[in-house]
Amino acid sequence: MYPDPAHHPPVQRAVEVHQPTPYPLAVAAPAPVVSVQPGSVPAVASIVLPDGRVVTGYAVDPAQPEPVTVKPAVSRTAVNVALGGVGFLAVCGGLILLTSFIAALTAFITQLIVLAAVIFGGWIAVQVFSASGHQGGTTVNIRKAVIKRNHFHG
């Protein structure tokens, strides 16, 4: 160990340089020939690279992303449940009104029956009580009858 790092001798390291080795071109199997209808052959495009090389190939249309379907802010199920609740409330309101109508109609009919009974009963009472003072009817006089040993003596 050196006591002073300033007096430490520099370490020499060897520098290794690696050069890329080119791979030999592999002979590829010929591509299958696909019959193409005339008129459907795409146009050939050539591009000149900055180093002067020319790349030739068919122009390929860029892939179009699938259209994104816009989802509604509220799901259809939630809308259906809400509409069902509104319909149920409307039906309940109608049933309450119908029940109230039936109760009112029942009370009205009951009052009509009571009124008819009072009027008819009053008419009967007038007929009964006015007949007792009326002298135009048949008068039957009942005498004392004596019944002896199952014989009527009149």
Side-chain angles (χ1 to χ4, degrees), residues 57-146:
Y58 294 108
V60 178
D61 293 331
Q64 298 292 330
E66 293 184 19
V68 178
T69 56
V70 179
K71 292 185 178 180
V74 180
S75 70
R76 291 180 189 259
T77 304
V79 171
N80 289 339
V81 168
L83 289 177
V86 169
F88 181 74
L89 287 178
V91 168
C92 287
L95 288 177
I96 289 173
L97 288 176
L98 182 64
T99 305
S100 300
F101 175 75
I102 291 172
L105 185 64
T106 304
F108 178 70
I109 291 173
T110 303
Q111 288 176 354
L112 286 180
I113 292 171
V114 169
L115 181 64
V118 167
I119 291 173
F120 187 67
W123 180 77
I124 291 175
V126 167
Q127 295 299 321
V128 168
F129 290 128
S130 66
S132 64
H134 191 253
Q135 295 295 332
T138 304
T139 303
V140 177
N141 292 323
I142 301 175
R143 296 182 292 160
K144 272 189 181 179
V146 178

Side-chain angles (χ1 to χ4, degrees), residues 22-49:
Y23 289 112
L25 293 176
V27 178
V33 177
V34 179
S35 64
V36 179
Q37 298 293 331
S40 66
V41 176
V44 176
S46 296
I47 300 174
V48 179
L49 297 176

